[in-house]
Amino acid sequence: MTTAVTAPERAGSAPDGTPVHRWVLERAGTRVAVLDYGGILQSVEVPDRDGVRADVVLGFGDVAGYVDCPSPYFGALIGRYANRIAGGAFTLDGRTYRLPRNNGTNCLHGGERGFDKRVWDAEPAADGHGVRLSLVSPDGEEGFPGRLAVSATYALDAAGALRIEYRAVTDAPTVVNLTNHSYWNLGGAGSGRAGGHRLRIAAGHVTPLDGDSVPTGPPAPVAGTRFDFREPREVGSGYDHNFVLDQGTPGAPGASFAAELYDPVSGRVLTVTTTEPGIQLYTGDAFDAGPFGPCEGIALETQHFPDSPNRPDFPSTVLRPGEEFRSVTTYGFGTADDRT
């Protein structure tokens, strides 16, 4: 089979009773399930070095699992603003906007009802290899200015890699930062802690953080610190940090190599390329959700930097009328006998 996009099937209901559907994509040995609730990447099935298939993202079998979970954003599409905005406020063009403080004193992942809790409109992608999700976020939603029209297309390429393309336009100046919040365990979901995976990140700098995970200053060199993943090493635990990607590292067309994750037991390899300037490494130390315990999945969230709306020295997240936000991240899958 070269390509298959299965007709959507009912997968449950959102808390308000809106029907939720599952779209299944299959190509070149990769099988992916996407929910129109939260744009959730529900499963990604790929073979190991012996050809045995397993689901390598943490998730639940139905919508209720996501709704009932004390959410660490399993597999979700995050917006309007991924990561934290300090103090739940930012100033744009001289006007201050107040946001929900749903993470201590900060706004996290778009507020109390971000894009991860919305039912998106869904249709087959134009090229026939994926599903296109879209929604309109009205002016003032969660405190953000401007009517924002957003789309996210999940598609499999000829090699079985998963490509997510985000687009957005606005009718008033606003800020935008979109990502996918999947937790990867290349041994298979439920196989135990993922800290033994080996990770390489193309980043010579990391943004230093305070105790609330808000940047305290300009990016700092990783050399000689536990943040140095420029050469592959075990992930371990204790990370919820934004890495500043080295731009121009060869990757997918129009994108740069960001990270590679390898599981020595299964031999599975995940390669991440992106157009984004940063990647958030989160080892899930704190969560205990359903069948999953701490450090059972590793999040690699491609995005702009935390608190960029309050940091003019960071790459801008401002979107204005007449402009288009566009971001592409690709997750490639393969196997290896050994990587050191």
Side-chain angles (χ1 to χ4, degrees), residues 25 34 77 120 123-127 129-134 150-156 162-167 327-329:
L25 321 176
V34 178
L77 199 163
W120 295 61
E123 62 183 354
D127 65 1
H129 300 313
V131 57
R132 180 181 181 272
L133 306 178
S134 61
V150 186
S151 70
T153 301
Y154 293 69
L156 294 176
L162 174 63
R163 182 178 188 269
I164 306 179
E165 179 176 10
Y166 310 88
R167 293 178 180 266
S327 174
V328 178
T329 294

Side-chain angles (χ1 to χ4, degrees), residues 81-84 177 207 215 219 242-245 276-279 303-309 313-315 317:
Y81 196 93
N83 219 309
R84 293 164 178 84
N177 190 21
T207 49
N242 170 68
F243 289 75
V244 179
L245 294 173
E276 288 296 297
I279 189 167
Q303 58 190 321
H304 273 59
F305 305 166
D307 202 32
S308 290
D313 55 324
F314 286 177
T317 56

